[in-house]
């Protein structure tokens, strides 16, 4: 196979690496690929079990984030190594030429951070009156610093305190302890906007808050904490996110808040589930200077019932529905983790065939609202936060099954005949029942910038 060097920007963090590549390199006839230690290719996708995430940036780039202890990162000498690239696919579906890049990050970055610099930026910058106690005043300097906290030899109360950063601890009792400083972002973070992504349980609010710090403490069995097994380890993971204060006007909306999203994980040995063996704090890559037009992946699905617990797949179509039966529809934004992003449905209509602009048409949503001229109006269905981590990324509604009037015999209606739903893109014409409505839709962004 022909192999060329893949261009991109690599950033090596303390716990993970981030690689930014231009989206134009990933054409329709190619796939973003990672090669494991055996040289076998794997199609890249979001996979928390393997510590890999792929994020679309608004500037037309893809950001690959991979943890150093994930499935595809290997240790060679004094470096973490990950082989990533674009694998081409020919017309026959066989792998063709590849563009590869060997990503290398030093394995001792932690030791290369100057202690004096770290103390100045993280510890000395916290005024005495704003310090939040991390441990009792009797703790030793060594044990305090093992907790990731700052130590002061002065005689003031609270000699072990949290620094101007994110401090995460995994306790032997099976609990997260996460302290966040308002100065971890620029401009400073609005601490009252910070919350766990899943917070359906009691006890998920901060246990302590000051003007400078907020402290979360919760068990691994609460607040939506996920659990997975990786080799001989069990990993617990949760996320914090800060909501932005958005101010709206007739012509647009603005925000002055920083984007903040934090993923924290603790891993324990299965053989000895007493002490944590690893702790990770993963943050978002640096924000872009401004919002720009970019690619947006969307999906329309039909749920099997009103609970939206499962959806029809490609092999299930055509789906038979009797007249007036409810059809539960969901439109979603894919591969996005920005909680401030909202999805609105501007126009939605049905046609008898797979072509979206052919006549006749029947409106389902008009300017985002159910069509008033229908005697069985479309029903909007709220998306609960407990079911989706980002409810604003989804829109749900239900329609009552109907049949188009025969265009040749306009007075004749196909009474009692079932309606057949097809996925879009459509199957072949021979598979489509005549006059079976197809769902078409247009989207509108509520933001002042294009999406």
């Amino acid at each position: 196979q022909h192999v060329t060097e893949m261009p991109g920007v690599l950033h090596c963090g303390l716990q993970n690496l981030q690689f930014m590549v231009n989206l134009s390199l990933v054409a329709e006839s190619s796939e973003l690929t990672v090669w494991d230690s055996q040289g076998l290719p794997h199609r890249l996708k979001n996979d928390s079990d393997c510590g890999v995430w792929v994020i679309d940036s608004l500037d037309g780039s893809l950001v690959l984030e991979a943890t150093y202890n994930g499935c595809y990162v290997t240790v060679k000498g004094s470096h973490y190594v990950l082989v990533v690239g674009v694998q081409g696919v020919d017309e026959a579906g066989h792998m063709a030429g590849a563009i590869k890049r060997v990503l290398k990050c030093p394995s001792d970055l932690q030791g290369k951070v100057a202690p004096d610099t770290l103390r100045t930026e993280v510890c000395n910058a916290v005024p005495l009156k704003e310090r939040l106690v991390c441990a009792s005043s009797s703790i030793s300097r060594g044990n305090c610093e093992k907790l990731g906290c700052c130590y002061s030899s002065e005689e003031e109360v609270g000699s072990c305190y949290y620094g101007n950063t994110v401090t995460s601890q995994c306790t032997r009792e099976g609990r997260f302890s996460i302290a966040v400083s308002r100065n971890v972002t620029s401009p400073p973070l609005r601490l009252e906007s910070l919350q766990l992504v899943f917070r359906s349980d009691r006890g998920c609010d901060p246990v302590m808050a000051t003007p400078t710090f907020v402290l979360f403490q919760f068990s691994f069995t609460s607040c939506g904490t996920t659990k997975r097994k990786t080799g001989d380890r069990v990993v617990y993971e949760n996320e914090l996110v800060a909501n932005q204060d958005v101010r709206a006007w007739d012509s647009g909306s603005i925000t002055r808040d920083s984007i903040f999203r934090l993923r924290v994980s603790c891993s324990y040995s299965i053989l000895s589930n007493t002490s944590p063996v690893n702790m990770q704090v993963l943050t978002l890559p640096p924000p872009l200077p401004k919002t720009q037009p970019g690619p947006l992946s969307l999906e329309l699905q039909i749920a099997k019932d009103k609970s939206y617990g499962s959806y029809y797949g490609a092999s299930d179509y055509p789906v038979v529905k009797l007249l007036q039966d409810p059809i539960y529809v969901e439109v979603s934004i894919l591969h996005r983790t920005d909680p401030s992003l909202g999805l609105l449905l501007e126009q939605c209509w049905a046609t008898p065939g797979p072509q979206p602009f052919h006549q006749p048409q029947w409106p389902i949503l008009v300017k985002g609202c159910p069509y008033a001229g229908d005697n069985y109006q479309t029903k909007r269905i709220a998306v609960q936060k407990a079911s989706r981590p980002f409810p604003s990324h989804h829109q749900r509604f239900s329609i009552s099954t109907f049949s188009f009037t025969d265009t040749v015999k306009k007075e004749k209606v196909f009474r009692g005949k079932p309606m057949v739903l097809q996925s879009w893109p459509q199957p072949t014409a021979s598979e489509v029942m005549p006059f079976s409505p197809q769902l078409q839709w247009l989207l509108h962004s509520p933001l002042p910038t294009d999406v």
Side-chain angles (χ1 to χ4, degrees), residues 131-137 139 143-151 158-163 167 169 177 179 208 215 217:
R131 293 179 181 177
L132 182 64
V133 176
C134 177
S136 65
S137 58
I139 192 172
N143 289 334
C144 176
E145 293 179 349
K146 283 182 180 179
L147 295 176
C149 297
C150 302
Y151 185 84
S159 58
C160 186
Y161 60 94
Y162 292 105
T167 307
Q169 301 168 10
S177 178
M208 189 175 296
L215 177 64
Q217 291 181 340

Side-chain angles (χ1 to χ4, degrees), residues 76-102:
K76 294 184 178 179
S78 60
H79 286 82
Y80 295 110
V81 177
L82 176 67
V83 181
V84 66
V86 175
Q87 183 75 61
V89 180
D90 59 22
E91 295 181 355
H94 301 123
M95 293 297 181
I99 302 175
K100 288 187 179 182
R101 175 78 172 268
V102 179

Side-chain angles (χ1 to χ4, degrees), residues 360-381:
Q361 297 178 2
W362 184 254
I364 294 171
L365 296 175
V366 179
K367 295 183 178 179
C369 298
Y371 174 50
D374 197 332
N375 58 338
Y376 289 85
Q377 284 191 13
T378 300
K379 297 179 180 179
R380 303 300 298 264
I381 301 174

Side-chain angles (χ1 to χ4, degrees), residues 43-313:
R43 180 175 176 268
L44 268 179
K45 59 181 181 179
N46 289 335
D47 187 349
S48 59
D49 288 341
C50 280
V52 175
W53 294 268
V54 181
I55 304 169
D56 293 335
S57 294
L58 294 177
D59 65 346
S61 299
L62 281 179
V63 178
L64 165 64
E65 182 179 294
T67 60
Y68 293 140
N69 63 346
C71 297
Y72 307 118
V73 177
T74 58
V75 178
K76 294 184 178 179
S78 60
H79 286 82
Y80 295 110
V81 177
L82 176 67
V83 181
V84 66
V86 175
Q87 183 75 61
V89 180
D90 59 22
E91 295 181 355
H94 301 123
M95 293 297 181
I99 302 175
K100 288 187 179 182
R101 175 78 172 268
V102 179
L103 308 179
K104 292 184 177 182
C105 288
S107 58
D108 59 345
L109 279 174
Q110 187 87 38
K112 293 185 178 181
V113 179
D116 292 339
T117 302
L118 186 64
R119 279 196 295 269
T120 301
E121 295 180 356
V122 174
C123 298
N124 296 354
V126 184
L128 180 62
K129 294 181 179 180
E130 298 181 7
R131 293 179 181 177
L132 182 64
V133 176
C134 177
S136 65
S137 58
S138 61
I139 192 172
S140 66
R141 175 186 291 272
N143 289 334
C144 176
E145 293 179 349
K146 283 182 180 179
L147 295 176
C149 297
C150 302
Y151 185 84
S152 173
S153 59
E154 301 170 0
E155 296 182 357
E156 297 91 352
V157 176
S159 58
C160 186
Y161 60 94
Y162 292 105
N164 260 338
T165 183
V166 175
T167 307
S168 178
Q169 301 168 10
C170 312
T171 69
R172 294 185 179 184
E173 295 77 22
R175 294 175 62 85
F176 278 112
S177 178
I178 308 169
V180 182
S181 166
R182 69 187 296 267
N183 298 312
V184 77
T185 64
S186 181
L189 186 65
R190 288 189 309 112
L191 295 179
E192 66 273 14
S193 71
L194 194 62
Q195 64 181 30
L196 292 163
V197 172
F198 292 101
R199 51 195 296 259
S200 56
D201 305 329
R202 291 184 178 181
C204 299
D205 293 326
V207 298
M208 189 175 296
T210 71
T212 310
F213 291 93
V214 64
L215 177 64
F216 290 85
Q217 291 181 340
F218 54 94
S219 70
F220 293 156
T221 58
S222 65
C223 304
T225 303
T226 61
K227 176 183 177 181
R228 57 184 170 85
K229 290 184 178 180
T230 303
D232 62 348
R233 295 182 181 183
V234 59
V235 180
Y236 300 92
E237 190 173 74
N238 212 317
E239 296 185 59
L240 282 169
V241 64
N243 295 323
Q244 292 178 304
D245 181 16
V246 178
R247 301 292 168 169
W249 190 54
D250 293 342
S251 302
S253 57
I254 66 167
T255 184
R256 292 182 173 90
D257 292 335
S258 298
I259 297 174
F260 180 82
R261 185 167 182 81
L262 180 75
R263 184 168 57 251
V264 181
S265 66
C266 294
S267 62
Y268 290 74
S269 171
I270 296 177
L271 303 178
S272 177
N273 194 24
T274 55
S275 299
V277 294
N278 189 27
M279 180 273 292
Q280 288 186 326
V281 178
L282 305 176
T283 59
L284 286 172
L288 298 170
K290 62 180 180 179
T291 302
Q292 299 175 350
L296 191 65
S297 300
L298 300 147
E299 181 181 47
L300 184 148
Q301 297 184 96
I302 298 175
K304 294 184 177 180
D305 54 51
K306 62 182 179 182
S307 69
Y308 285 85
S310 59
Y311 301 83
Y312 292 110

Side-chain angles (χ1 to χ4, degrees), residues 403-423:
S403 178
F404 280 93
T405 301
D406 190 341
T407 55
V408 178
K409 301 177 181 179
K410 294 185 178 181
E411 300 300 322
K412 180 181 178 181
V413 179
F414 290 145
R415 301 185 183 276
K417 284 195 175 184
M419 169 181 171
V420 179
L421 295 178
Q422 300 287 348
S423 59

